[in-house]
Amino acid sequence: MRYCFITFNSLTAAQRAESILRRSTIRCSLQRSPRWMEEQGCGNGLRVDCEDLHKAVNILRGNRILYKRAYLRQEDGAMEELRI
């Protein structure tokens, strides 16, 4: 299953982002990052539908919520970093 994943520097930032996106009717879920991302300092993130990614990022920017990176999870489980 393909989906996008947005990482944050802190759990608090991820929780704030989740709250704001849900109020904006974007479906998302707070999740722990894969272990290899945790080693880079990305311990928490939001799973979002890829079709909502750009809208979600624009909402986060508009609310001054800093995210770290965005990834696309491929069908085979591989994660590809996205430039947005």
Side-chain angles (χ1 to χ4, degrees):
M1 170 183 250
R2 289 178 54 154
Y3 62 85
C4 288
F5 193 75
I6 304 171
T7 61
F8 298 87
N9 286 328
S10 69
L11 176 58
T12 302
Q15 289 171 329
R16 287 183 56 217
E18 178 185 33
S19 176
I20 288 168
L21 292 179
R22 286 190 173 177
R23 277 187 265 142
S24 299
T25 67
I26 293 182
R27 292 183 4 196
C28 60
S29 62
L30 183 64
Q31 295 184 344
R32 294 285 302 164
S33 300
R35 187 164 304 277
W36 64 269
M37 281 185 193
E38 288 180 15
E39 294 168 0
Q40 298 174 6
C42 305
N44 300 284
L46 290 180
R47 178 179 171 162
V48 298
D49 290 334
C50 290
E51 60 195 36
D52 293 330
L53 180 63
H54 288 286
K55 183 178 178 182
V57 167
N58 286 333
I59 290 168
L60 295 177
R61 287 177 180 155
N63 285 277
R64 298 179 188 222
I65 304 285
L66 298 177
Y67 64 93
K68 197 161 187 182
R69 294 190 174 112
Y71 295 88
L72 168 66
R73 182 187 181 277
Q74 300 287 352
E75 295 287 335
D76 64 0
M79 297 286 268
E80 173 188 344
E81 185 174 351
L82 301 172
R83 298 214 183 263
I84 48 174

